[in-house]
Amino acid sequence: MRLLSLLHRWTGAITGLLLAVIGLSGTALVWEGYWIGLPGAGDPVIADPAALGRVVETARATGPDLSYITFASEEIGLHQAIYHDGSGAYFSQDAVLVERWESFWERPELWLFDLHHYLFLGEAGKTITGILGLLLLAFTISGLILWWRTRKTFRLRLFPARWTASAVVRHHRDLGAVASPLLLLVAVTGSAMVFPAVTDAVLSPLAKDRSAIALPANSPAPTAQTDWPVLMTRAQSAFPQAYPRRLMMPREAGAPVAVRFRQDFEWTPNGRSYIYLDPFRALVLAVDDPAEGSAADAVREKLYPIHAGKVGGLAWQMALTFAGLALVMLGTLAMWSFWFAGSTKRAVGKLRPRDALRA
């Protein structure tokens, strides 16, 4: 038990600040639909495929080399276009430019997303956040084991009773015990998304063989003559009852245009239903319908919406907010009590009684 306590304390003291950053940024992202605050952000969604096609035309004319455009949703009533050079724009649902930026640093929802997922370090940062998720899982389990011995002294407080090392540690244990179910869920879902190979191995008993979607390798590239309203209308015909969520331009020569839809049974806000199209002839080339997937696919699809608060309404957003703020306090107070509170106590102990009173 002593070894477990040492591992818990030392690892938390080293990684506590990073976990606090992850918790705070994640909490802010849960509520992004409320604080973006641009004109039209609260508009109701108009899911007319021809109108969406006109928005795509405007987005392509506004910036160079469109990468993808995410269509308006109930959370944010604006279309978001992202370009290959890192710039982007918001458009109203009647295809009017609302906001334009040259770098993601100009939009807080974009750099907060990058901070939470990548720590501003790209793919290496993504791996680090996945490891932090696994550490959070270990912290939560080991913390519950350590707390169990002192459970009779449990007191739930917003802040420590006193700002001493022992009081902070007691507060840390009690707060961690209360938040542990949510922290376990956040840690598991986050790490599962970062390490898909591990997730696939765990879910392999629920998986089933499924033929890969055959896509042509010589699809023509979109041009100025591409009729985007017609193309979006054709895409909608493949999923008449689904919601168009994102249009993605070809990433390489010969690849088709892809449109993501969200069907009613899908939890992921942008859906996992794909339509692949020939932009020259506005023809549907292939359809990837998650309704034909396995139970493992269904579980994977639910990881992100649970982790990000995209399901469950206000109640789940509040629960995730508590988990995020608890993680901030657990991380920062763990570091403070380990690195600073102990040194302060030792420094005071070295003073003579009279000097200690003056201090």
Side-chain angles (χ1 to χ4, degrees), residues 45-65:
V45 177
I46 302 173
D48 174 34
L52 296 178
R54 290 189 288 272
V55 172
V56 176
E57 290 177 340
T58 303
R60 281 173 56 83
T62 299
D65 203 8

Side-chain angles (χ1 to χ4, degrees), residues 64-88:
D65 203 8
L66 178 67
S67 176
Y68 64 88
I69 180 167
T70 302
F71 299 119
S73 66
E74 293 180 358
E75 184 178 18
I76 303 172
L78 296 171
H79 307 298
Q80 184 193 77
I82 299 296
Y83 300 94
H84 281 291
D85 64 354
S87 64

Side-chain angles (χ1 to χ4, degrees), residues 157-172 175 328-338 340-346 348:
R157 297 183 177 92
L158 183 61
F159 297 104
R162 296 177 303 278
W163 292 101
T164 61
S166 59
V168 169
V169 168
R170 286 195 295 272
H171 173 268
H172 178 95
L175 178 60
V328 172
M329 295 193 69
L330 290 169
T332 54
L333 292 182
M335 289 193 64
W336 180 82
S337 64
F338 187 91
F340 302 107
S343 62
T344 301
K345 182 178 180 180
R346 289 191 296 270
V348 172

Side-chain angles (χ1 to χ4, degrees), residues 20-40:
V21 169
I22 296 296
L24 188 59
S25 58
T27 301
L29 289 170
V30 166
W31 300 98
E32 67 173 329
Y34 293 86
W35 52 256
I36 284 184
L38 293 172

Side-chain angles (χ1 to χ4, degrees), residues 11-349:
T11 312
I14 295 171
T15 63
L17 185 58
L18 284 176
L19 286 170
V21 169
I22 296 296
L24 188 59
S25 58
T27 301
L29 289 170
V30 166
W31 300 98
E32 67 173 329
Y34 293 86
W35 52 256
I36 284 184
L38 293 172
D43 289 352
V45 177
I46 302 173
D48 174 34
L52 296 178
R54 290 189 288 272
V55 172
V56 176
E57 290 177 340
T58 303
R60 281 173 56 83
T62 299
D65 203 8
L66 178 67
S67 176
Y68 64 88
I69 180 167
T70 302
F71 299 119
S73 66
E74 293 180 358
E75 184 178 18
I76 303 172
L78 296 171
H79 307 298
Q80 184 193 77
I82 299 296
Y83 300 94
H84 281 291
D85 64 354
S87 64
Y90 278 118
F91 297 90
S92 67
Q93 295 187 59
D94 54 358
V96 175
L97 178 64
V98 174
E99 180 82 352
R100 184 82 167 90
W101 61 90
E102 298 301 323
S103 166
F104 79 96
W105 292 108
E106 300 175 37
R107 292 303 313 170
E109 66 273 19
L110 298 182
W111 64 256
L112 276 170
F113 181 90
D114 196 278
L115 173 63
H116 185 77
H117 290 79
Y118 302 101
L119 295 173
F120 302 141
L121 296 174
E123 288 302 314
K126 183 178 180 180
T127 301
I128 293 173
T129 60
I131 294 172
L132 288 172
L134 295 176
L135 287 174
L136 177 58
L137 181 63
F139 284 144
T140 306
I141 295 172
S142 60
L144 282 172
I145 295 172
L146 295 169
W147 170 82
W148 186 253
R149 300 176 302 167
T150 61
R151 63 190 183 281
K152 293 182 179 179
T153 65
F154 174 80
R155 296 289 186 277
L156 180 59
R157 297 183 177 92
L158 183 61
F159 297 104
R162 296 177 303 278
W163 292 101
T164 61
S166 59
V168 169
V169 168
R170 286 195 295 272
H171 173 268
H172 178 95
R173 288 177 178 174
D174 292 342
L175 178 60
V178 173
S180 60
L182 291 170
L183 294 178
L184 286 171
L185 186 60
V186 168
V188 169
T189 54
S191 300
M193 289 186 289
V194 174
F195 301 118
V198 177
T199 305
D200 291 345
V202 172
L203 295 177
S204 58
L206 302 176
K208 67 178 183 180
D209 292 334
R210 187 182 177 196
S211 300
I213 302 298
L215 297 177
N218 57 351
S219 180
T223 66
Q225 284 70 45
T226 299
D227 194 328
W228 294 102
V230 170
L231 187 121
M232 287 300 301
T233 301
R234 293 278 175 82
Q236 184 73 70
S237 67
F239 288 120
Q241 304 303 318
Y243 299 91
R245 295 299 306 122
R246 177 175 289 175
L247 180 139
M248 296 170 288
M249 305 300 288
R251 294 185 177 181
E252 54 189 23
V257 170
V259 181
R260 287 177 67 167
F261 284 81
R262 182 177 64 82
Q263 300 186 69
D264 288 337
F265 64 86
E266 296 181 89
W267 290 15
T268 301
N270 289 330
R272 296 290 180 89
S273 305
Y274 287 83
I275 308 294
Y276 299 94
L277 303 111
D278 179 332
F280 181 73
R281 296 173 294 172
L283 293 178
V284 174
L285 300 175
V287 176
D288 188 357
D289 189 349
E292 301 173 0
S294 65
D297 296 324
V299 172
R300 279 190 292 266
E301 186 266 329
K302 291 171 175 58
L303 294 174
Y304 173 72
I306 291 174
H307 184 86
K310 303 302 183 183
V311 293
L314 183 62
W316 186 240
Q317 289 177 312
M318 293 295 294
L320 288 178
T321 299
F322 169 70
L325 295 180
L327 183 56
V328 172
M329 295 193 69
L330 290 169
T332 54
L333 292 182
M335 289 193 64
W336 180 82
S337 64
F338 187 91
W339 295 110
F340 302 107
S343 62
T344 301
K345 182 178 180 180
R346 289 191 296 270
V348 172

